[in-house]
């Protein structure tokens, strides 16, 4: 127990020391924050998360073959133009920082597949984001978005969109053009109505509208790809109707979805037995 307490105290002191050193711009102080990072790692990944960084270390831009770069949980608010040299980058994590606008240099990294922008102060996204045509996963949760930027509708390969914990009132109609989109997370927004555009996206597999202000749900039974719908914590008076085999999370979810046709009685449903996993905050809690 004593060792645990000492380790916790050391960790806390280390973070405090980093926070102080972060204000000192000397090269020696910056090297302390970066640790042993002189050459590109063999696995082509650099993780600088939780280092109290206030400016991006320029020498990382010399790692031209870098594939993954994690800068989460720092104090960054801008990035240098030299970042454009990392043209092999596929994963970039900028979540839990102080970005009020997405640095345009990010939009030059055309091999990006996954972009984490959650927990910043973004109110919009630049039109240049449309250059990221290989993007498949975009995290925008916990920002200051009052609308979903139209440029998101131009990311043709997008499969997963996380836009929870913003201030969204509606979704753009152009979202239906994203025919590769399979999961959309909209928990904790200001939706008063179920977004109509989602009714025209038959390829969606997961829809999460938990913790909004939706009072009534339309039928979702016509969406052939749907596997999971999360609608809990809404002031609704009805559960969304869904096709047989679709999992629902919310009030009245235990009710039978759509009535089975007489011709279907007495025969088993063909299924692979797989269900999409619930996100961590939707997992059942132990007693």
């Amino acid at each position: 127990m004593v060792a645990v307490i000492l380790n916790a105290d050391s960790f806390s002191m280390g973070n405090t020391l980093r926070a102080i050193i972060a204000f000192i711009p000397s090269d020696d102080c910056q090297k302390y924050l970066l640790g042993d990072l002189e050459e590109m790692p063999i696995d082509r990944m650099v993780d600088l998360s939780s280092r109290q960084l206030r400016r991006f270390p320029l020498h990382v831009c010399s790692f031209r073959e870098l594939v993954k770069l994690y800068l989460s949980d720092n104090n960054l608010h801008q990035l240098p133009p030299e970042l454009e040299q990392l043209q092999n980058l596929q994963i970039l994590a900028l979540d839990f920082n102080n970005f009020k606008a997405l640095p345009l240099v990010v939009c030059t990294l055309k091999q990006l597949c996954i972009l984490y922008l959650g927990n910043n102060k973004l109110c919009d996204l630049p039109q240049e984001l449309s250059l990221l045509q290989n993007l498949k996963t975009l995290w925008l949760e916990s920002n200051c978005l009052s609308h979903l930027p139209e440029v998101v509708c131009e990311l043709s390969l997008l499969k997963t969109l996380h836009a929870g914990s913003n201030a969204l009132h509606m979704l753009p109609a152009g979202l239906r053009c994203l025919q590769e989109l399979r999961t959309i997370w909209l928990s904790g927004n200001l939706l008063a109505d179920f977004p109509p555009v989602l009714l025209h996206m038959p390829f969606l597999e997961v829809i999460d509208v938990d913790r909004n202000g939706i009072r009534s749900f339309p039928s979702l039974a016509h969406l052939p790809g749907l596997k999971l719908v999360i609608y809990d914590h809404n002031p609704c008076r009805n559960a969304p109707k869904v096709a047989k085999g679709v999992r629902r999370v919310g009030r009245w979810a235990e009710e039978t979805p759509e009535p089975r046709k007489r011709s279907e009685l007495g025969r088993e449903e063909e299924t692979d037995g797989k269900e999409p996993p619930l996100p961590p905050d939707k997992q059942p809690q132990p007693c």
Side-chain angles (χ1 to χ4, degrees), residues 35-202:
D36 185 17
L37 186 61
E38 298 297 330
E39 299 180 355
M40 187 183 74
I42 297 176
D43 59 4
R44 298 192 294 172
M45 178 186 77
V46 169
D47 188 352
L48 296 174
S49 301
S50 305
R51 302 293 183 94
Q52 302 288 340
L53 296 176
R54 293 183 175 274
R55 58 189 178 95
F56 182 78
L58 281 177
H59 79 276
V60 173
C61 297
S62 65
F63 302 161
R64 303 293 180 86
E65 300 302 316
L66 200 64
V67 173
K68 303 176 183 179
L69 177 57
Y70 297 93
L71 298 168
S72 307
D73 191 23
N74 282 292
N75 296 304
L76 299 171
H77 65 277
Q78 61 183 5
L79 296 172
E82 289 84 355
L83 193 72
E84 185 178 2
Q85 299 174 29
L86 303 181
Q87 284 300 311
N88 290 298
L89 208 60
Q90 296 179 17
I91 300 177
L92 177 59
L94 299 175
D95 48 328
F96 292 93
N97 276 283
N98 294 318
F99 292 102
K100 294 183 179 180
L102 179 65
L104 292 182
V105 66
V106 172
C107 302
T108 68
L109 306 174
K110 297 183 180 180
Q111 296 304 314
L112 279 183
C113 296
I114 302 176
L115 179 57
Y116 297 93
L117 298 175
N119 289 272
N120 279 284
K121 301 174 183 177
L122 302 174
C123 295
D124 205 349
L125 295 173
Q127 183 57 38
E128 288 81 355
L129 188 73
S130 63
L131 297 174
L132 302 183
Q133 285 299 304
N134 285 306
L135 204 62
K136 295 181 180 179
T137 300
L138 178 60
W139 292 70
L140 296 171
E141 79 286 355
S142 298
N143 274 285
C144 304
L145 299 172
S146 60
H147 67 286
L148 186 67
E150 293 277 355
V151 66
V152 173
C153 303
E154 300 180 33
L155 303 174
S156 59
L157 294 184
L158 199 64
K159 291 182 178 295
T160 302
L161 176 60
H162 293 262
S165 299
N166 280 283
L168 303 180
H169 290 83
M170 59 184 298
L171 298 180
L175 204 65
R176 65 191 298 179
C177 297
L178 299 183
Q179 297 190 15
E180 296 298 320
L181 194 65
R182 296 295 179 267
T183 61
I184 184 166
W185 307 92
L186 299 167
S187 176
N189 277 286
L190 300 176
L191 300 172
D193 299 297
F194 186 82
V197 65
L198 301 184
L199 300 175
H200 302 283
M201 301 177 69

Side-chain angles (χ1 to χ4, degrees), residues 166 168-169 186-193 208-215 230-235:
N166 280 283
L168 303 180
H169 290 83
L186 299 167
S187 176
N189 277 286
L190 300 176
L191 300 172
D193 299 297
D208 178 12
V209 289
D210 185 20
R211 301 183 186 280
N212 277 277
I214 302 174
R215 296 187 176 278
I230 305 172
Y231 64 94
D232 210 8
H233 303 98
N234 279 279

